[in-house]
Amino acid sequence: MFESAELGHKIKKSVYEKEVPGLREELLEVQLELAKSTAFPVIILVGGLDGSGRGATVNLLNEWMDPRHIQTHGMGEPSDEELDRPMMWRFWRALPPKGKIGVFLGSWYTWPILNRVNGRTKDADLEQSLERAVQLEKMLVDEGALVLKFWLHLSKAKQEKRFKELEKNPLTRWKVTKRDWKRFKQYDTFQAVHEKVIRFTSTAEAPWLVIEGEDACYRSLTVGKVILKAIRDRLELATVPPPRTVAPPLMPPIDNLHLLKTLDMTQKIDKRDYKVKLDKLQGRLNELTRDPKFKYMSVIAVFEGNDAAGKGGSIRRITGALDARYYQVIPIAAPTEEERAQPYLWRFWRHLPRKGRVTVFDRSWYGRVLVERVEGFCSEFDWMRAYSEINEFEAQMVRHRLLVIKFWLTITKEEQLRRFEDRQKTGFKNFKITDEDWRNREKWEQYEQAVCDMVDRTSTLVAPWTLVEANSKNFARIKVLKTVCDRVEAKLKELHDQGIDYLDKPKKKG
């Protein structure tokens, strides 16, 4: 796999100096054209062996290009804030918007590689990490990004030679550390893991380009020319036609029976029982979030439902039981200009809470398979692929001890009409009713089908949907609160069973 990168590729310095001015000029031109068009983002990963010129290559790209339109990220040791979220959170936050170039020195491959080489994980763990990386890159490409991955390689003999040359020169001696020599002794282990990574993750959407790193002139010209051609070729595709979905159509059951029709919408609770249960459940939720083990987890509550189904009232009953310092409610509306310049999941990744916190989403990432699907705001290909992308997003959250609780609040078409008319008649409720709400009623059956498809395809063992019969607001609020309490309590028990308590105990000396 690395044979062609050990042939001794070289470029004469005179040739390099002759070609660089023209290359730099063309790179600047294509970069400015990209920035002006805001057509797509460019994501560049620079990986490879120590001593292969990764840092020098990244520095050169920043020297050759306009710094206003390039963002460089040296992803070293994660901070405490980053460790509190899923591993991919730090990379999602750093993604460049459309029209910009993002360069990553250290990427979502770095820590899986190091963990495997140092024996902290097994092959199965590495493969799972690589699968997540492949899924991320496929999603980025499907969202329009140009992903370029460079792997700078050195043979074992050339790496040793490189280290010794740097050490001999007093001006460059600082570039070689004890860590570099330690990793050199692990060269064969690194080589085996690197080969597996490249073989597993060099895909049609985002292939690895393996480049020999010994000769700086060859390395720099190669990287520069690849970037230039890739961006130029992509810009020449003025509009990229969306991929077509060649899949069986999603159709309603031929007997017209679906999930929502099986719910008992007559369920109610009288006011006296409601008040008693509300106080009891809010007290229980407050106690659960003050449990010492709660600081090792976090909660994400997702609220979706019919217009006027009572999402806001249910949310307020949850937040009324919590310390205001430790929760956040994220209302989701149409994406802003900043959000439209990023993949659709970006605006949700950025709001993931730290451990010990609760985040409530008033509408969510499910807009892609509901509103955007029904209203035609995205292609069939986009909302069809979103099911698996959303499942992977939630699986990553759960893997990091984020408890995902999802509610669909449903009401009948007749009850919705009654609430709409009540909002129109009541002055302080007028703001809750819009022309769009009335238009959505005309597509009631389409939304029903979209909801059923959503539940069928995204109600997983790790993040199941809870369907809430919401014709009675009091009944719905109690069901929501009880579900939250039960799920949090079960998660705390799971943490206890896993031995999380040991984190509270001081470490033994020696």
Side-chain angles (χ1 to χ4, degrees):
M1 188 162 287
F2 299 107
E3 287 83 355
S4 292
E6 295 183 357
L7 297 177
H9 292 283
K10 288 187 178 180
I11 292 289
K12 291 182 180 179
K13 192 170 183 180
S14 58
V15 174
Y16 175 79
E17 291 175 346
K18 182 179 179 180
E19 292 196 23
V20 163
L23 177 60
R24 291 183 64 174
E25 183 178 345
E26 290 182 277
L27 279 170
L28 282 169
E29 287 177 358
V30 79
Q31 185 187 14
L32 292 175
E33 185 180 349
L34 172 67
K36 184 178 180 180
S37 71
T38 64
F40 56 90
V42 178
I43 300 167
I44 300 174
L45 309 187
V46 181
L49 291 165
D50 296 329
S52 62
R54 292 173 301 164
T57 300
V58 171
N59 290 338
L60 201 61
L61 291 177
N62 278 276
E63 180 184 334
W64 285 357
M65 294 201 220
D66 188 334
R68 295 172 299 171
H69 305 300
I70 187 169
Q71 305 165 355
T72 300
H73 305 281
M75 310 301 282
E77 291 277 353
S79 66
D80 289 344
E81 183 183 20
E82 291 169 337
L83 288 171
D84 259 0
R85 273 91 170 193
M87 188 267 284
M88 288 295 187
W89 180 78
R90 64 197 303 233
F91 301 109
W92 272 91
R93 288 209 316 162
L95 290 178
K98 292 177 181 177
K100 304 288 185 182
I101 299 173
V103 180
F104 290 84
L105 180 58
S107 66
W108 36 87
Y109 294 104
T110 303
W111 293 105
I113 289 173
L114 291 176
N115 286 337
R116 183 67 195 102
V117 169
N118 293 318
R120 291 190 289 265
T121 56
K122 299 183 182 297
D123 278 343
D125 301 309
L126 174 63
E127 290 171 7
Q128 289 178 5
S129 296
L130 298 183
E131 181 60 37
R132 289 193 287 273
V134 169
Q135 291 174 344
L136 170 63
E137 290 168 3
K138 185 179 188 311
M139 180 191 177
L140 294 175
V141 172
D142 286 340
E143 287 286 300
L146 173 61
V147 179
L148 302 175
K149 301 189 300 191
F150 297 99
W151 188 271
L152 306 184
H153 179 72
L154 287 174
S155 67
K156 189 173 184 178
K158 289 178 179 178
Q159 187 183 50
E160 183 178 21
K161 178 184 174 185
R162 174 68 173 159
F163 286 169
K164 288 180 177 179
E165 287 176 349
L166 290 171
E167 282 190 328
K168 284 180 182 178
N169 187 338
L171 298 178
T172 59
R173 189 174 296 151
W174 59 272
K175 294 185 178 182
V176 183
T177 66
K178 291 181 179 179
R179 187 199 69 174
D180 294 326
W181 281 115
K182 179 183 177 183
R183 290 186 179 177
F184 172 74
K185 292 178 181 178
Q186 299 173 293
Y187 184 94
D188 293 337
T189 305
F190 269 107
Q191 181 87 330
V193 174
H194 290 165
E195 181 175 323
K196 185 168 191 174
V197 168
I198 292 173
R199 175 167 48 86
F200 197 93
T201 64
S202 192
T203 62
E205 298 88 2
W208 280 105
L209 302 173
V210 181
I211 300 170
E212 188 165 1
E214 182 184 22
D215 183 69
C217 295
Y218 171 81
R219 178 186 70 226
S220 303
L221 277 182
T222 301
V223 171
K225 288 184 176 183
V226 168
I227 293 172
L228 173 63
K229 186 176 189 310
I231 299 177
R232 181 178 284 163
D233 288 350
R234 180 64 184 277
L235 284 169
E236 287 177 359
L237 298 172
T239 57
V240 181
R244 292 184 60 193
T245 303
V246 189
L250 299 184
M251 297 176 60
I254 59 175
D255 62 358
N256 205 30
L257 179 66
H258 58 65
L259 280 172
L260 300 181
K261 288 185 177 180
T262 65
L263 300 177
D264 180 3
M265 302 302 294
T266 64
Q267 296 180 84
K268 295 181 179 181
I269 185 171
D270 64 53
K271 289 185 178 181
R272 182 176 299 177
D273 285 346
Y274 168 71
K275 177 61 178 172
V276 172
K277 290 182 178 181
L278 178 65
D279 290 342
K280 182 179 179 180
L281 287 168
Q282 286 185 323
R284 180 184 170 201
L285 180 57
N286 184 271
E287 289 180 2
L288 288 168
T289 57
R290 287 188 285 114
D291 187 291
K293 293 186 289 294
F294 190 78
K295 64 184 176 182
Y296 301 121
M297 61 175 282
S298 48
V299 176
I300 291 181
V302 175
F303 282 85
E304 295 282 359
N306 300 114
D307 295 328
K311 294 182 293 296
S314 293
I315 290 171
R316 286 192 294 274
R317 271 58 187 186
I318 291 176
T319 58
L322 304 176
D323 187 326
R325 294 170 297 176
Y326 301 112
Y327 76 80
Q328 186 177 16
V329 178
I330 309 295
I332 300 300
T336 64
E337 185 176 344
E338 178 190 24
E339 292 166 342
R340 284 196 297 271
Q342 295 281 2
Y344 74 98
L345 284 178
W346 177 83
R347 62 174 175 156
F348 306 108
W349 269 99
R350 70 197 299 211
H351 289 302
L352 295 191
R354 301 192 68 165
K355 284 187 170 63
R357 308 294 173 89
V358 177
T359 294
V360 180
F361 285 93
D362 186 355
R363 298 203 181 276
S364 68
W365 42 93
Y366 284 97
R368 173 58 62 104
V369 297
L370 294 173
V371 176
E372 292 185 46
R373 167 187 171 173
V374 174
E375 302 298 333
F377 295 153
C378 68
S379 68
E380 182 183 12
F381 174 80
D382 287 332
W383 61 258
M384 281 287 284
R385 66 181 167 85
Y387 295 121
S388 61
E389 292 166 353
I390 287 170
N391 285 337
E392 173 58 21
F393 174 39
E394 292 174 354
Q396 289 191 51
M397 287 191 270
V398 172
R399 195 177 295 115
H400 202 75
R401 298 199 197 113
L402 276 76
L403 175 61
V404 181
I405 311 174
K406 304 183 301 193
F407 296 102
W408 175 264
L409 274 65
T410 187
I411 54 177
T412 61
K413 196 172 184 179
E414 296 72 25
E415 176 62 18
Q416 186 188 63
L417 177 61
R418 188 192 68 76
R419 293 184 186 184
F420 277 9
E421 291 174 343
D422 180 58
R423 288 178 175 184
Q424 282 190 323
K425 295 174 184 176
T426 308
F428 63 84
K429 293 183 179 180
N430 278 164
F431 76 95
K432 291 185 176 183
I433 187 74
T434 65
D435 291 340
E436 185 178 343
D437 294 328
W438 288 108
R439 284 196 302 271
N440 288 344
R441 276 181 60 80
E442 298 173 6
K443 299 180 179 180
W444 182 272
E445 289 75 18
Q446 291 173 257
Y447 274 103
E448 272 192 335
Q449 180 59 39
V451 171
C452 292
D453 290 338
M454 173 192 75
V455 174
D456 284 342
R457 291 170 180 269
T458 63
S459 191
T460 61
L461 288 175
V462 297
W465 278 100
T466 298
L467 303 181
V468 181
E469 303 86 344
N471 269 11
S472 165
K473 291 183 178 181
N474 288 348
F475 176 85
R477 292 165 183 173
I478 294 302
K479 182 170 182 177
V480 165
L481 262 173
K482 185 177 186 305
T483 301
V484 171
C485 288
D486 290 346
R487 294 285 306 279
V488 172
E489 188 171 45
K491 186 64 177 179
L492 289 171
K493 183 180 184 302
E494 177 187 324
L495 294 180
H496 176 76
D497 292 343
Q498 291 174 351
I500 299 301
D501 280 345
Y502 80 92
L503 293 171
D504 284 325
K505 300 175 183 178
K507 292 181 180 179
K508 293 181 180 179
K509 293 184 179 180

